[in-house]
């Protein structure tokens, strides 16, 4: 029943009474009223009245009974344009544009409402091109558009940035004298602003005689989106009245362009001076600003304000709260919000923030629990979880998750593949890398610059500079600075310093701007081949031409450049004249050079300075002791080793590893734990005697202890890289390349021995030590014995 409705006039006809009841009943959206009136119409025989039946169809359509409306529409014998438009509107508002189009085509005499209904329907469904095309048909048909038609077609033009058509619509509006009508003027303003024509937008705004809040907000938003914050703020201050949208534009603009402190100040001003209640959009922006500033105190105040004001926050604001707490260092409270709101509310931004927080504290287990609890996660979430594992050093978990993704998750994108390739790079696994390369080829993602760069890095770290070069050539059309830098570093690490420098010169000629990492690669290339003067030239070029301030890495490269070349005095002077405090890498480079060139006095200085920076640096003790031993100062070396023991500093153990059939085999010095140890030691004895016959002489000076010569030779024979090579020779087919990895610098004896072994077994042997790659082939090394 329609309780409380105004009563019809006494003496009204039954038909007028029914119309009155239907129109009044629409306020309540109660279908029962329509059915009641419908029954009365049939009983009274009023179903032939066109006006009454149109009202009944309209009632059914607007109360959601579209089926009843269609049934009634089909039954009535006389259909007016209103009848057609009513049923047309029902379909269009319900999103059934196919049915609406069918009705539209059947209308005998379409009016402006018919055309506009269709245009509005297409607009709501995001079919903006269809809306524009239909508008053009409307004009061609000679039907005069309404204000509502113009606002909607301009909205469609703005959505797809159809500036040319938008300008034509503008001209038509001017001809009709409607340019000053506020809704139409605002729509034109919005169209120009969103289509990138800010000049015309300003002209339209300037000519508007009636500007409402929406007009000002459109222009403010336009300035904000283009980063012109000062004009935006100036306009907002000229407004006589500002609504929440006006404030949101400025606050979000500050946040978007990195002026987070200003965003907080503007928010505080809004709350304090204007007593406006923020909405979810405001809260999302201000919480993002707090997160960027890691301002936990202000973030907590916002959270408290939300609770005090009983603001009904949405999913986006909940996620912004989670991100704010995580980035501000309170991951426990962020976890509490997740538990209260449920993981179903978690979006990818909040999830990745949580994951990043857990990674920082070294515990990705809670992140994985959240990951497993969320259904239907997209490729971004999967990729974030893989990256989280990789950043925490859990490479096996990362690979296992990727395998699960292939089986049951979304299709990996270029960022996923780049992340997985980064994981495999840390393992230096060539076989696994080639499998992912094949996956990238099948998926078409191999052309992505991020995948290409990751492949260059992978192949380089796995010892295949040829494959890295192939990938570099294949991505010639979309190389970026990272691509060039990765290839330059790859060539440098593989002893191809001159080729690295040639590539750098090509990079400059191609107008690609190098960054600070590029110059680390270039200086390393000079270091590995002893190009001292060129290295000095590039160091100066970096500062004077490219305006890149040297970092600790660049200074350390220069110290290494001088030190390896035996210019220890110049290296020491360079360190003393550095404008920044030398770090442990710079002193470590000098100390390593002192060991190679047997300069005890300078080694003591370098070790002392290094231990002041890093008292537990085992490399400093070892390098100094080894330098003293190499100079025959056995007692002094013993004192250093005793001091190391007294200070409870543990020496880093040297070990080597090799991957055979996707399994990694690790070896230490004198390793006796491997299941194939007998075969390995027999193989070593065999090739040891053979290479001695070929002219190899064990470098017993590499054993930095005061021992008998026979004992020294025994130790040298069983160095970890020799054990790894022996194992690889036993377990790989003839003529295959051996790839050995070592965590420390390869010693002189092993370097010399592997030269002979490569010639003896007709194999290329690639050894990656702590600083570079050595490619041994036919009795010589790519480093040309300069390393």
């Amino acid at each position: 029943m329609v309780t409380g409705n105004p009563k019809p006039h006494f003496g009204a006809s039954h038909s007028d009474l029914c119309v009155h009841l239907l129109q009044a009943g629409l306020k309540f959206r109660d279908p029962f009223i329509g059915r009641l009136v419908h029954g009365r119409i049939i009983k009274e025989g009023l179903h032939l009245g066109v006006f009454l039946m149109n009202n009944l169809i309209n009632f059914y359509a607007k109360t959601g009974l579209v089926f009843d409306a269609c049934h009634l529409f089909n039954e009535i014998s006389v259909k007016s344009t209103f009848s057609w438009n009513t049923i047309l509107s029902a379909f269009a508002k319900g999103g059934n544009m196919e049915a609406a189009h069918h009705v539209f085509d059947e209308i005998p005499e379409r009016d402006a409402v018919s055309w506009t209904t269709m245009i509005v329907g297409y607009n709501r469904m995001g079919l903006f091109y269809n809306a524009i095309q239909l508008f053009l048909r409307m004009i061609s048909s000679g039907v005069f558009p309404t204000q509502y038609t113009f606002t909607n077609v301009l909205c469609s033009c703005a959505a797809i940035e159809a500036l040319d058509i938008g300008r034509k619509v503008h001209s038509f509006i001017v001809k009709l004298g409607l340019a000053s009508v506020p809704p139409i003027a605002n729509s034109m303003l919005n169209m120009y602003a969103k289509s990138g024509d800010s000049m015309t937008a300003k002209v339209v705004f300037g000519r508007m005689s009636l500007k409402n809040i929406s007009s000002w907000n459109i222009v403010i938003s336009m300035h904000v989106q283009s980063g012109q914050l000062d004009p935006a703020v100036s306009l907002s201050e000229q407004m006589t009245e500002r609504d929440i949208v006006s404030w949101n534009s400025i606050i979000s603009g500050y946040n978007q362009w990195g002026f987070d402190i200003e965003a907080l100040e503007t928010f505080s001003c809004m709350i304090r001076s204007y007593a406006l209640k923020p909405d979810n959009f405001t809260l999302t922006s201000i919480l993002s600003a707090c997160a960027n500033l890691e301002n936990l105190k202000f973030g907590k105040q916002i959270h408290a304000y939300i609770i005090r004001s009983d603001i009904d926050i949405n999913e986006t604001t909940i996620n912004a709260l989670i991100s704010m707490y995580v980035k501000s260092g309170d991951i426990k409270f962020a976890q509490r919000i997740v538990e209260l709101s449920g993981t179903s509310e978690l979006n990818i931004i909040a999830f990745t923030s949580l994951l990043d927080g857990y990674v920082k504290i070294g515990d990705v287990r809670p992140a994985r629990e959240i990951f497993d609890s969320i259904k239907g996660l997209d490729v971004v979430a999967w990729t974030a979880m893989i990256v989280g594992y990789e950043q925490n050093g859990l490479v096996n978990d990362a690979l296992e998750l990727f395998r699960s993704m292939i089986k049951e998750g979304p299709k990996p994108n270029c960022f996923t593949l780049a992340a997985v390739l980064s994981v495999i790079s840390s393992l230096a696994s060539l076989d696994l890398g080639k499998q992912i390369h094949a996956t990238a080829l099948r998926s078409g993602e191999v052309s992505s610059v991020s995948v290409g760069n990751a492949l260059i890095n992978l192949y380089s770290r796995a010892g295949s500079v040829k494959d890295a070069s192939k990938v570099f050539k294949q991505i010639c059309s979309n190389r970026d600075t990272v691509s060039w830098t990765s290839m330059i570093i790859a060539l440098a690490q593989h002893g191809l310093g001159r080729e690295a420098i040639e590539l750098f010169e090509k990079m400059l000629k191609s107008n690609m701007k190098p960054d600070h990492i590029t110059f680390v690669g270039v200086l390393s290339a000079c270091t590995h081949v002893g190009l001292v003067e060129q290295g000095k030239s590039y160091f100066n070029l970096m500062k004077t031409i490219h305006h890149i301030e040297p970092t600790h890495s660049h200074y350390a490269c220069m110290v290494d450049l001088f030190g390896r070349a035996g210019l220890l005095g110049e290296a020491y002077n360079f360190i003393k004249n550095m404008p920044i405090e030398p770090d442990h890498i710079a002193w470590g480079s000098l100390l390593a050079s002192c060991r190679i060139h047997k300069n005890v006095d300078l080694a003591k200085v370098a070790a002392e300075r290094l231990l002041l920076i890093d008292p537990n640096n085992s490399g400093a003790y070892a390098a100094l002791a080894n330098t003293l031993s190499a100079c025959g100062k056995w007692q002094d070396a013993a004192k250093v080793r005793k001091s190391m023991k007294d200070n409870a500093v543990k020496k880093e153990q040297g070990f080597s590893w090799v991957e055979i059939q996707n399994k990694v085999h690790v070896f230490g010095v004198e390793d006796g734990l491997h299941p194939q140890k007998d075969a390995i030691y027999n193989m070593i004895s065999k090739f040891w005697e053979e290479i001695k016959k070929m002219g190899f002489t064990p470098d017993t000076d590499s054993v930095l202890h005061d021992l008998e010569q026979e004992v020294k030779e025994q130790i040298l024979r069983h160095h970890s890289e020799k054990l790894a090579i022996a194992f690889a020779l036993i377990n790989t087919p003839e003529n295959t390349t051996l790839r050995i990895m070592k965590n420390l610098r390869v010693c002189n004896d092993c370097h010399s021995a592997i030269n002979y072994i490569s010639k003896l077994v007709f194999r290329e042997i690639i050894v990656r030590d702590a600083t570079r790659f050595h490619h041994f082939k036919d009795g010589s090394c790519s480093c040309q014995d300069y390393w």
Side-chain angles (χ1 to χ4, degrees), residues 623-637:
L624 179 58
N626 291 343
T627 304
L628 292 165
S629 298
C631 296
K633 298 180 180 292
W634 304 110
Q635 290 184 348
D636 291 339

Side-chain angles (χ1 to χ4, degrees), residues 155-419:
C155 179
S156 293
C157 292
I160 60 173
E161 299 181 13
L163 190 57
D164 290 340
I165 296 173
R167 284 175 176 150
K168 291 175 182 177
V169 176
H170 184 179
S171 298
F172 190 41
I173 289 168
V174 172
K175 287 177 184 177
L176 296 175
L178 299 173
S180 61
V181 176
I184 295 178
N186 283 341
S187 295
M188 288 193 298
L189 185 60
N190 181 60
M191 184 274 296
Y192 283 117
K194 290 188 176 175
S195 300
D197 189 351
S198 59
M199 291 298 294
T200 308
K202 290 175 187 176
V203 171
V204 171
F205 181 71
R207 290 177 179 173
M208 289 174 67
S209 55
L210 294 172
K211 298 182 180 78
N212 56 23
I213 293 178
S214 294
S215 314
W216 290 91
N217 286 344
I218 291 166
V219 181
I220 290 169
S221 178
M222 177 185 73
H223 284 299
V224 165
Q225 292 304 314
S226 61
Q228 298 175 329
L229 298 180
D230 288 340
V233 172
S234 177
L235 282 167
S236 71
E237 290 173 349
Q238 294 174 41
M239 295 175 70
T240 54
E241 181 185 356
R242 281 182 270 186
D243 63 4
I244 192 64
V245 177
S246 315
W247 289 96
N248 284 348
S249 293
I250 301 300
I251 292 169
S252 66
Y254 278 136
N255 172 232
Q256 179 185 343
W257 293 99
F259 297 96
D260 295 303
I261 292 174
E262 289 81 356
L264 300 188
E265 290 171 349
T266 306
F267 175 80
S268 298
C269 178
M270 182 188 89
I271 297 295
R272 184 175 58 252
S273 304
Y274 292 85
L276 270 175
K277 189 175 182 180
D279 60 12
N280 279 286
F281 192 86
T282 326
L283 294 170
T284 301
S285 295
I286 205 66
L287 287 168
S288 174
C290 291
N292 293 339
L293 295 168
E294 298 181 6
N295 191 332
L296 184 61
K297 183 180 179 181
F298 201 101
K300 282 185 172 181
Q301 288 174 5
I302 301 296
H303 194 179
Y305 175 83
I306 291 170
I307 295 168
R308 280 197 315 271
S309 305
D310 196 26
I311 298 174
D312 184 19
I313 59 174
N314 61 19
E315 176 186 328
T316 307
T317 305
I318 292 171
N319 283 285
L321 270 171
I322 293 167
S323 296
M324 182 277 295
Y325 276 112
V326 171
K327 291 181 180 179
S328 301
D330 195 344
I331 194 167
K332 289 184 179 179
F333 204 93
Q335 178 68 39
R336 190 175 169 189
I337 296 173
V338 172
E339 291 167 357
L340 290 171
S341 60
T343 54
S344 60
E345 299 293 318
L346 207 60
N347 67 11
I348 185 58
I349 297 172
F351 172 73
T352 51
S353 294
L354 269 172
L355 180 58
D356 184 56
Y358 287 123
V359 168
K360 285 178 180 176
I361 62 173
D363 184 10
V364 294
R365 180 185 49 79
R368 181 57 190 265
E369 290 173 359
I370 294 171
F371 178 87
D372 290 337
S373 69
I374 305 174
K375 302 298 180 184
L377 281 169
D378 63 8
V379 65
V380 179
W382 283 80
T383 304
M385 193 68 235
I386 290 169
V387 171
Y389 277 134
E390 189 237 344
Q391 290 177 344
N392 244 29
L394 302 170
V395 292
N396 290 330
D397 296 89
L399 292 175
E400 191 60 38
L401 184 61
F402 177 70
R403 293 186 186 104
S404 298
M405 184 179 185
I406 295 295
K407 290 178 183 177
E408 59 195 51
K411 181 183 176 183
N413 62 15
C414 59
F415 301 107
T416 317
L417 295 172

Side-chain angles (χ1 to χ4, degrees), residues 509-527:
K509 288 177 183 176
S510 68
N511 294 319
M512 185 65 68
K513 190 175 180 181
D515 61 14
H516 66 286
I517 301 174
T518 314
F519 276 100
V520 170
V522 171
L523 295 173
S524 296
C526 294
T527 298

Side-chain angles (χ1 to χ4, degrees), residues 469-488:
S469 297
K470 284 180 185 176
V471 174
F472 181 74
K473 289 173 183 175
Q474 287 166 0
I475 61 169
C476 58
S477 60
N478 57 350
R479 294 172 188 156
D480 60 7
T481 299
V482 176
S483 313
W484 288 91
T485 301
S486 298
M487 196 63 233
I488 289 167

Side-chain angles (χ1 to χ4, degrees), residues 658-665 727:
V658 61
E659 182 183 357
I660 305 290
Q661 295 180 348
N662 293 326
K663 186 177 179 181
V664 176
H665 299 262
F727 172 76

